[in-house]
Amino acid sequence: MGRFWTLATYLHSSAGYASIQAIESPSKVDDEQWLAYWILYSFLTLMEMVLEPILNWIPIWYDIKLVIVAWLVLPQLRGAAFIYDRFVREKLRKNDATLDKDQSPKSKKKLMESIKPKNVSSP
């Protein structure tokens, strides 16, 4: 289990460093990769917390998780971007036309209104 935590810590810290580099770079492509990674990693962590009683019965769960996270995090494999492009973006586009390539201020405002908490007033 020690090797697992060493590798998991390395992957997680390298993802944080790569995310900072992506923010500072002028390219938008790497921003998408790392934002997709953090979204999917958060979702995986949330599902892991919810399904913990079931996952405790799977002795190789942490090995499986390590492979999944490695696939998501390694920029050579672009797993996070693949999952986001293939599944998440398609679902969002089917359910919300404002996510199309239309970047007008009106569509941005509509999108922000749809995700804003209900008890917050507009400025």
Side-chain angles (χ1 to χ4, degrees):
M1 193 68 139
R3 291 184 313 197
F4 168 76
W5 288 116
T6 302
L7 185 56
T9 302
Y10 173 75
L11 287 174
H12 196 67
S13 63
S14 66
Y17 181 71
S19 299
I20 292 168
Q21 283 185 320
I23 290 171
E24 297 300 322
S25 76
S27 172
K28 187 178 175 184
V29 173
D30 54 0
D31 296 354
E32 291 176 3
Q33 160 67 22
W34 291 110
L35 186 55
Y37 166 75
W38 288 111
I39 290 168
L40 293 169
Y41 184 80
S42 299
F43 180 75
L44 178 65
T45 302
L46 179 63
M47 289 298 104
E48 187 178 28
M49 289 187 318
V50 170
L51 299 173
E52 184 179 7
I54 296 168
L55 294 175
N56 284 335
W57 288 89
I58 303 173
I60 61 168
W61 165 244
Y62 290 107
D63 297 327
I64 294 168
K65 181 181 177 185
L66 178 62
V67 170
I68 293 169
V69 170
W71 181 65
L72 290 174
V73 78
L74 291 173
Q76 299 88 346
L77 301 176
R78 296 189 42 83
F82 172 79
I83 294 290
Y84 189 82
D85 288 340
R86 188 74 174 252
F87 301 103
V88 178
R89 182 174 282 148
E90 293 304 315
K91 286 285 187 193
L92 289 173
R93 285 199 174 147
K94 284 180 184 177
N95 295 327
D96 191 354
T98 62
L99 292 177
D100 288 337
K101 295 294 182 187
D102 177 20
Q103 294 294 321
S104 68
K106 184 178 179 181
S107 67
K108 286 181 181 180
K109 183 176 180 181
K110 183 178 176 185
L111 177 62
M112 293 309 291
E113 289 294 323
S114 70
I115 62 174
K116 185 173 67 172
K118 300 298 180 202
N119 60 353
V120 176
S121 61
S122 297

